[in-house]
Amino acid sequence: MTVLRALFFVFVFIPVLVVVIPAQALINALRLPFWNVLPRVFHRVGCIFLGLRVRVVGQPATGRATLLVSNHISWTDIVAIGAVADVTFVAKREVGDWFFVGMMARLQKTIFVDRTRRSDAARTSREMGAHMAGGNAVLLFAEGQSDVGTHVLPFRSALVGAAQHAMIEAGATDVLIQPLTIAYTRLQGLPVSRVERALISWVKSKSLGQNIREILSGGVKDVTIAFGTPIPLGEQADRKAVSKAAETQVRQMLVALNRGHDLSVAGR
């Protein structure tokens, strides 16, 4: 960790946490409608601390039941996305047990899923459906695991289908699936090399501690969050076809961004 980053952590990041944590806990306990304001502040401060410069292409669908489906590269994806969009994340159950991270995830109303129990998918989908039926957005890392950021793994359609039924049951008649692509395009102003991608991404061979050390010791990273074209998800829609269409959009946007194309100019 650099000296400037350490000073920022002590004199800015920690004071923000001291204010945000109890305030957000109170907001959640009282079920106030502006629960998403402080998480956005926290993530924006987190981007500064982690050296993430976030650029947004497109815009998230708002005011409607929306399931965002995204590729996944690193735990820093959550900070970058949370800084520009009001979303509730779906995370594996183990995250809820991590020191500090689990507490912060719960404050942002993260929905946890136990991937070792098939029966838990029904509970997860009900929570997702209830949240989206209120006009909120839920984000699902649809690959089911993280990757290095050079390609997109096949999307898992099971939770999309489960959420489809849950949203209809919860009263959401107008549901959207919106593809979202996250791409780490530059490091210290230069295009990210394959070796450097391994330092940014979080793969199974690394411990969380090792990856955190690599991120904190690294330079400033340019991150692009690209919102794709929303896809209607009706009661009779084919979940596998919708998942595949979303996966194709995410893959096309990731390839374009990694090649240095400007999606905001070239279109998608």
Side-chain angles (χ1 to χ4, degrees):
M1 186 186 300
T2 65
V3 174
L4 286 178
R5 201 165 276 175
L7 290 173
F8 184 90
F9 180 78
V10 172
F11 293 106
V12 178
F13 197 68
I14 289 180
V16 168
L17 288 178
V18 170
V19 174
V20 165
I21 290 175
Q24 184 66 15
L26 180 61
I27 289 170
N28 286 352
L30 297 176
R31 298 184 179 180
L32 299 176
F34 49 85
W35 65 270
N36 50 3
V37 173
L38 289 180
R40 179 80 76 95
V41 171
F42 168 75
H43 288 303
R44 287 182 175 178
V45 173
C47 283
I48 298 172
F49 172 60
L50 295 171
L52 303 177
R53 293 192 302 206
V54 183
R55 184 175 74 99
V56 177
V57 177
Q59 58 186 2
T62 57
R64 303 166 69 180
T66 305
L67 177 64
L68 292 157
V69 288
S70 173
N71 63 316
H72 190 22
I73 299 171
S74 170
W75 57 272
T76 56
D77 298 353
I78 295 171
V79 181
I81 295 170
V84 299
D86 295 325
V87 297
T88 289
F89 293 93
V90 178
K92 59 183 180 181
R93 179 191 57 79
E94 294 88 336
V95 172
D97 297 330
W98 292 350
F99 174 72
F100 180 72
V101 174
M103 177 188 66
M104 297 304 293
R106 288 186 175 86
L107 288 175
Q108 195 172 346
K109 300 188 176 182
T110 295
I111 299 170
F112 298 104
V113 58
D114 188 346
R115 296 174 182 170
T116 64
R117 297 172 54 195
R118 287 191 174 184
S119 60
D120 197 54
R123 176 198 58 78
T124 302
S125 65
R126 284 194 299 271
E127 288 189 36
M128 292 168 62
H131 191 73
M132 286 184 282
N136 301 299
V138 170
L139 186 139
L140 176 68
F141 291 116
E143 297 164 300
Q145 64 185 73
S146 59
D147 194 63
V148 295
T150 55
H151 58 282
V152 176
L153 301 175
F155 279 10
R156 298 183 179 183
S157 62
L159 268 180
V160 173
Q164 175 185 24
H165 294 299
M167 287 184 284
I168 300 299
E169 291 175 3
T173 57
D174 190 12
V175 175
L176 295 177
I177 298 291
Q178 184 169 28
L180 182 151
T181 299
I182 182 164
Y184 294 79
T185 56
R186 289 180 174 272
L187 179 63
Q188 291 293 80
L190 298 175
V192 179
S193 68
R194 178 171 288 274
V195 172
E196 289 166 338
R197 288 193 185 283
L199 299 176
I200 294 172
S201 62
W202 182 17
V203 293
K204 290 182 179 180
S205 60
K206 295 181 184 179
S207 67
L208 178 60
Q210 178 186 355
N211 188 245
I212 289 175
R213 287 192 298 273
E214 291 172 348
I215 294 293
L216 292 180
S217 61
V220 174
K221 292 164 281 293
D222 288 341
V223 188
T224 298
I225 307 294
F227 293 93
T229 303
I231 305 169
L233 182 67
E235 188 171 2
Q236 303 303 319
D238 184 335
R239 66 174 173 83
K240 290 187 178 181
V242 171
S243 298
K244 186 63 178 178
E247 176 192 323
T248 298
Q249 276 199 54
V250 171
R251 179 174 292 109
Q252 290 173 343
M253 290 190 290
L254 180 66
V255 169
L257 290 168
N258 283 343
R259 289 177 178 175
H261 296 169
D262 188 349
L263 297 182
S264 62
V265 175
R268 300 189 300 276

